[in-house]
Amino acid sequence: MKKKLTAALMGFAIAFTVMGTSSASADSKMDQIIEPAMGTPYRIGGTSFSGFDCSGFTQYVFGQMNIDLPRQSSSQYQVGDAVSKSDLQAGDLVFFNTTGAGVSHVGVMVSKSQFAHASTSKGVRIDNIDMDYYQNRYVGAKRVMSNFSYSNYAAE
């Protein structure tokens, strides 16, 4: 299992480079939804491949899985079931306070430790949730996928 997880994480690192170019294949349907968005620039209010903001990106990803999310990160934080950080899995929404005024950033977990999000400075990318920046701003997580949706979209 550890070997498979290491291979999966290496696959993410290869598939989701900053340049957004790779020949590696995605591991799940959710990965296949996220991969084409990698490298898309950040645009406030953005909800498309011409530019995403964080909540526009998560709304797009979940919309592709037939799951409706509210438009703003603070509103997305109000839906789903709370999940402890130790129980995070692919498909969970993770929330951060990046402005000092409550929930202001959201991403979607792609593994136990990595999440995809629309970074204001680097566009859509994958980062480690344990990086100091995110660890210090972490607010919480929500699970909005049913078990059926998880097995259909996020499970490897």
Side-chain angles (χ1 to χ4, degrees):
M1 179 67 178
K2 185 176 179 181
K3 193 173 193 177
K4 184 177 180 184
L5 179 59
T6 302
L9 292 177
M10 288 179 69
F12 266 107
I14 293 168
F16 299 125
T17 62
V18 174
M19 300 297 250
T21 59
S22 171
S23 61
S25 62
D27 296 323
S28 70
K29 289 179 184 177
M30 188 178 72
D31 298 339
Q32 293 169 11
I33 293 166
I34 292 171
E35 186 172 7
M38 296 305 296
T40 300
Y42 179 86
R43 191 180 83 197
I44 193 162
T47 59
S48 70
F49 285 96
S50 62
F52 284 110
D53 67 11
C54 65
S55 57
F57 172 68
T58 54
Q59 189 180 48
Y60 164 78
V61 170
F62 282 86
Q64 296 301 301
M65 297 184 286
N66 298 312
I67 299 170
D68 291 325
L69 289 180
R71 178 60 187 92
Q72 296 180 321
S73 57
S74 58
S75 297
Q76 290 179 7
Y77 188 62
Q78 302 304 313
V79 300
D81 297 318
V83 179
S84 70
K85 196 171 183 185
S86 62
D87 290 330
L88 289 174
Q89 66 183 25
D92 289 341
L93 291 171
V94 286
F95 298 90
F96 306 90
N97 178 348
T98 58
T99 63
V103 171
S104 56
H105 189 63
V106 61
V108 57
M109 295 300 294
V110 295
S111 73
K112 289 285 281 177
S113 62
Q114 294 183 309
F115 70 104
H117 64 119
S119 160
T120 56
S121 60
K122 298 180 181 174
V124 177
R125 59 181 283 124
I126 302 283
D127 279 314
N128 191 304
I129 198 161
D130 294 322
M131 290 172 54
D132 286 345
Y133 180 85
Y134 297 109
Q135 196 169 27
N136 294 335
R137 290 162 178 80
Y138 182 79
V139 173
K142 295 293 183 92
R143 186 160 295 154
V144 296
M145 291 180 139
S146 66
N147 288 335
F148 173 78
S149 292
Y150 174 78
S151 64
N152 198 30
Y153 290 104
E156 292 181 27

